[in-house]
């Protein structure tokens, strides 16, 4: 049984379903099985996606990002699969919980980054420490 011990995830435990450990490479293989390109460091290869993608700086106000996410098509999906980096397990997460508390999930990764995909595979999102950017295959900021 996989347990969630990360302090930042504890308040949301009822909305999380552990699927696999990071070391299992579950997320990487899941993406590859669904023809979503992955870099050698297990991050989504945004440059190889066959569709447009969007980026914006995460230093923007946390509440502003949350408000924008609530207005996206992503919010109409019930659950996401979220990969939290090296520590916490990969989990199914209620989308509403993810949207409302995405920054706590980022903290749970040790500020390394998080990747998420909707269960219908239409929506991808990744917050990366190496660039400090949010990446998505759907428009989050209506001004971008």
């Amino acid at each position: 049984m996989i347990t969630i011990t990360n302090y930042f995830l504890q308040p949301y435990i009822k909305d999380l379903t552990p699927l696999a450990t990071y070391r299992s490479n579950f997320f990487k293989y899941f993406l590859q099985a669904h023809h979503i390109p992955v870099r050698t460091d297990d991050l989504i290869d945004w440059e190889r996606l066959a569709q447009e993608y969007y980026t914006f700086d995460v230093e923007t106000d946390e509440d502003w990002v949350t408000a924008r996410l609530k207005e996206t098509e992503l919010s109409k999906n019930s659950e996401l699969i979220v990969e939290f980096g090296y520590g916490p397990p990969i989990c199914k997460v209620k989308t509403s919980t993810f949207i409302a508390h995405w920054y706590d999930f980022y903290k749970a990764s040790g500020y390394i980054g998080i990747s998420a995909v909707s269960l219908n595979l239409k929506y991808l999102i990744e917050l990366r420490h190496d660039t400090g950017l949010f990446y998505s295959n759907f428009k989050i900021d209506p001004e971008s």
Side-chain angles (χ1 to χ4, degrees):
M1 180 174 171
I2 301 170
T3 57
I4 300 171
T5 58
N6 186 286
Y7 171 80
F8 294 108
L9 297 178
Q10 291 302 306
Y12 317 111
I13 209 103
K14 69 181 183 332
D15 295 334
L16 304 173
T17 303
L19 299 174
T21 64
Y22 175 80
R23 287 195 171 131
S24 70
N25 289 319
F26 169 85
F27 195 73
K28 175 182 178 178
Y29 295 135
F30 177 79
L31 294 177
Q32 288 175 329
H34 292 92
H35 310 289
I36 298 168
V38 180
R39 297 179 355 176
T40 56
D41 56 5
D42 297 345
L43 297 169
I44 296 168
D45 191 343
W46 294 97
E47 308 238 340
R48 289 185 35 222
L49 279 177
Q51 60 195 38
E52 187 172 3
Y53 67 93
Y54 303 89
T55 63
F56 64 93
D57 193 339
V58 177
E59 293 299 315
T60 317
D61 182 58
E62 182 179 342
D63 294 333
W64 181 89
V65 174
T66 301
R68 297 292 77 72
L69 285 172
K70 285 180 182 177
E71 296 173 5
T72 66
E73 291 295 311
L74 176 73
S75 67
K76 296 177 183 172
N77 289 263
S78 62
E79 292 180 302
L80 304 169
I81 296 174
V82 179
E83 189 267 336
F84 296 95
Y86 306 114
I90 297 156
C91 294
K92 266 199 308 190
V93 178
K94 286 186 178 180
T95 303
S96 57
T97 301
F98 177 83
I99 289 173
H101 306 288
W102 64 271
Y103 200 78
D104 286 343
F105 292 156
Y106 182 49
K107 289 190 283 189
S109 78
Y111 299 97
I112 292 172
I114 53 175
S115 300
V117 60
S118 61
L119 294 183
N120 66 3
L121 303 168
K122 281 182 72 173
Y123 303 101
L124 303 168
I125 193 166
E126 192 168 65
L127 178 55
R128 296 196 10 207
H129 80 289
D130 61 337
T131 62
L133 296 175
F134 232 127
Y135 293 77
S136 66
N137 68 337
F138 58 96
K139 199 167 195 166
I140 295 172
D141 179 0
E143 302 297 318
S144 68

